[in-house]
Amino acid sequence: MCLAVPGRIESIEDENAVVNIEGNRVNAMLALIPEASVGDWVLVHAGLAVTLMSEAEALETLDLMREKYAVEDE
Amino acid sequence: MQSKTSDIFSREIAACRELAAGLPRRVTIMEVCGTHTVAICRSGLRNLLPKEIRLVSGPGCPVCVSTQGYIDACIELAGRSGATLATYGDMLRVPGTKKSLAESRAEGGRVLVVYSALEAVAYAAAHPGEQIVFVAVGFETTAPATALALRDARARGLSNFSALFSHKRIIPAMKALIAAPDLSIDAFLCPGHVSVIIGPEKYAEIAATGRPCVVAGFEGADVARAVRMILEGIASGRAQVENEYTRAVKPGGNPAALKLFDEVFDIVDEDWRGIGTIPESGFAPASDFKCFDAREVHGVKIISAPEPAACRCGEVVRGAIDPEHCALFAKACTPAHPVGPCMVSREGSCSAHYKYARQVAS
């Protein structure tokens, strides 16, 4: 239930952002990180961006996750 | 091809083996996050670590720690005329005393699966003729979405949205387990995404009892590294809070989320399956938000109900036994025909042990 995935903010309208997660566009609310801006990497959980990440942190997390799902898919 | 990640994983395991050889006695490390339980089982970590290190799963699966009485109350609500229960998908197949939510839905009960509490509020706004009750379960990771949902419902002036609270706070549960005479926990793997919200500093009171606390990420390499950090702490006789998951967990946690908790929630005593009532271990709507509390709005009573016969999920969630020690495990209780919640939820210990090679930590 506590899964969260990194993605990059593509656009922002009020408190709501469109976040690109591995090519999928999802809506995420920015109420917890009001300082976020377009181009930032964020960690998304249950429709909510919960923290900012650096690009390196986000890419490292995605790398680890990709490896996991590659194994899962086998 | 050997990847970079599996290199890290192997290196950390080797370091753990070396450190374990110098330990004066066997150590028990508890993880209190269902996603860690899955990572440990999937990576095979339990079998790769030497026998001096016992990894045991604690109450980290929100579905599993919800009481039978709470599950029954959700099912009862779904069957009420005019009511729609909005829930995370994990809750659907958990057996209540008579049936599950999925069975209730098959019989005509209205159950809506949502990805977020905010989605449930949007649905309520679009369907003014229905009473929407959101199943508010989960730890501090999930609780901010519920807090925002209540705030959103108030801003929209909704009178057809409420939430049936069973939100849990992890640190009071850790304290309760430390105090349990039959468990001897030497260290904790602390949950990554709960810590994104609350901040790693909050575990200081646990570490002060002499138990190292390491916040970990969710991949096998993360967990192996966190175990190594714990063993280093034990070997050098220090118990402190450390953060392995620096990619996401920042000092102080998320200040906006913590402020939201203060604004929208009261801290209350909360019932846990297998553990009982733990003081200050839950959230409930604060007085300004009581109009969204399903217990008040719909007069819901949580009536305590016995566990399914012979089911030992209560002992599994507190780490008193491993899933394999339950007589039903992989026999009468399987993911296709689960008897208790730990076999239903993907994050439940029984489900994770069943799926990933049934590893026994004896």
Side-chain angles (χ1 to χ4, degrees):
Chain A
M1 192 171 280
C2 290
L3 282 176
V5 190
R8 194 168 205 172
I9 298 178
E10 286 194 342
S11 62
I12 298 177
E13 200 182 322
D14 301 325
E15 271 190 328
N16 300 301
V18 173
V19 179
N20 186 323
I21 298 176
E22 295 273 73
N24 297 312
R25 289 184 175 78
V26 302
N27 295 316
M29 203 182 184
L30 295 178
L32 300 188
I33 38 169
E35 68 275 26
S37 49
V38 171
D40 283 347
W41 287 88
V42 290
L43 192 64
V44 179
H45 164 78
L48 202 54
V50 291
T51 191
L52 285 168
M53 298 179 107
S54 70
E55 182 161 25
E57 290 165 343
L59 294 178
E60 187 189 344
T61 303
L62 284 171
D63 270 351
L64 288 164
M65 295 182 89
R66 270 191 213 108
E67 189 156 320
K68 175 168 88 187
Y69 291 115
V71 172
E72 286 275 282
D73 289 344
E74 276 170 11
Chain B
M1 189 182 74
Q2 186 86 347
S3 73
K4 195 178 98 190
T5 316
S6 53
D7 279 349
I8 298 170
F9 185 68
S10 309
R11 212 164 48 234
E12 295 294 355
I13 300 280
C16 287
R17 286 179 175 279
E18 207 165 299
L19 284 158
L23 291 174
R25 61 184 175 84
R26 196 173 190 216
V27 299
T28 297
I29 302 172
M30 177 178 274
E31 90 273 2
V32 287
C33 168
T35 316
H36 280 156
T37 303
V38 173
I40 288 166
C41 289
R42 180 175 41 221
S43 65
L45 185 61
R46 190 172 281 112
N47 286 346
L48 294 168
L49 291 173
K51 63 181 189 326
E52 291 83 2
I53 304 164
R54 176 173 184 252
L55 297 181
V56 61
S57 306
C61 155
V63 170
C64 308
V65 297
S66 298
T67 62
Q68 200 69 11
Y70 179 80
I71 307 284
D72 286 344
C74 292
I75 293 163
E76 190 264 320
L77 266 169
R80 285 196 197 179
S81 144
T84 299
L85 200 76
T87 180
Y88 294 118
D90 315 38
M91 293 292 279
L92 274 187
R93 293 180 61 236
V94 179
T97 301
K98 292 192 185 129
K99 57 189 160 190
S100 67
L101 274 175
E103 287 161 342
S104 165
R105 184 167 66 173
E107 293 169 6
R110 289 192 57 81
V111 181
L112 176 74
V113 174
V114 291
Y115 163 65
S116 162
L118 299 159
E119 208 181 311
V121 175
Y123 182 91
H127 298 81
E130 293 175 41
Q131 282 291 331
I132 312 305
V133 183
F134 175 67
V135 178
V137 297
F139 292 93
E140 288 95 334
T141 321
T142 311
T146 303
L148 285 167
L150 264 54
R151 214 180 62 173
D152 190 23
R154 192 171 67 170
R156 293 173 188 247
L158 295 184
S159 58
N160 68 327
F161 175 85
S162 63
L164 186 62
F165 268 64
S166 184
H167 274 301
K168 305 277 197 272
R169 301 174 68 231
I170 197 65
I171 288 179
M174 294 165 77
K175 283 158 73 175
L177 295 177
I178 287 173
D182 62 327
L183 304 175
S184 56
I185 304 159
D186 298 299
F188 285 98
L189 276 168
C190 298
H193 292 145
V194 163
S195 306
V196 165
I197 302 296
I198 69 173
E201 300 83 358
K202 295 277 185 357
Y203 303 102
E205 59 175 312
I206 306 290
T209 68
R211 294 170 175 84
C213 291
V214 177
V215 176
F218 295 103
E219 313 315 323
D222 285 317
V223 180
R225 184 154 51 202
V227 169
R228 188 255 300 160
M229 290 162 77
I230 284 172
L231 296 178
E232 283 174 350
I234 292 174
S236 62
R238 64 189 152 84
Q240 55 191 32
V241 180
E242 291 183 89
N243 181 11
E244 185 278 334
Y245 193 33
T246 51
R247 305 194 293 279
V249 176
K250 314 295 177 193
N254 184 308
L258 297 174
K259 191 161 161 267
L260 202 58
F261 287 169
D262 285 344
E263 179 198 334
V264 181
F265 296 154
D266 283 339
I267 291 174
V268 295
D269 298 349
E270 176 67 27
D271 295 334
W272 298 59
R273 184 186 295 262
I275 304 176
T277 306
I278 305 176
E280 301 187 351
S281 67
F283 289 125
S287 54
D288 283 358
F289 293 88
K290 281 285 179 227
C291 57
F292 301 114
D293 188 341
R295 294 184 201 219
E296 304 217 345
V297 179
H298 296 296
V300 181
K301 296 259 181 300
I302 311 281
I303 301 158
S304 97
E307 304 283 315
C311 171
R312 299 180 73 185
C313 277
E315 292 162 273
V316 170
V317 295
R318 59 194 290 279
I321 63 165
D322 290 313
E324 291 78 3
H325 298 137
C326 174
L328 304 183
F329 179 78
K331 296 187 185 83
C333 185
T334 62
H337 299 285
V339 175
C342 300
M343 188 60 94
V344 178
S345 172
R346 264 192 83 246
E347 299 181 338
S349 299
C350 298
S351 158
H353 279 240
Y354 185 92
K355 184 170 176 189
Y356 299 103
R358 308 184 197 173
Q359 311 161 46
V360 183
S362 54

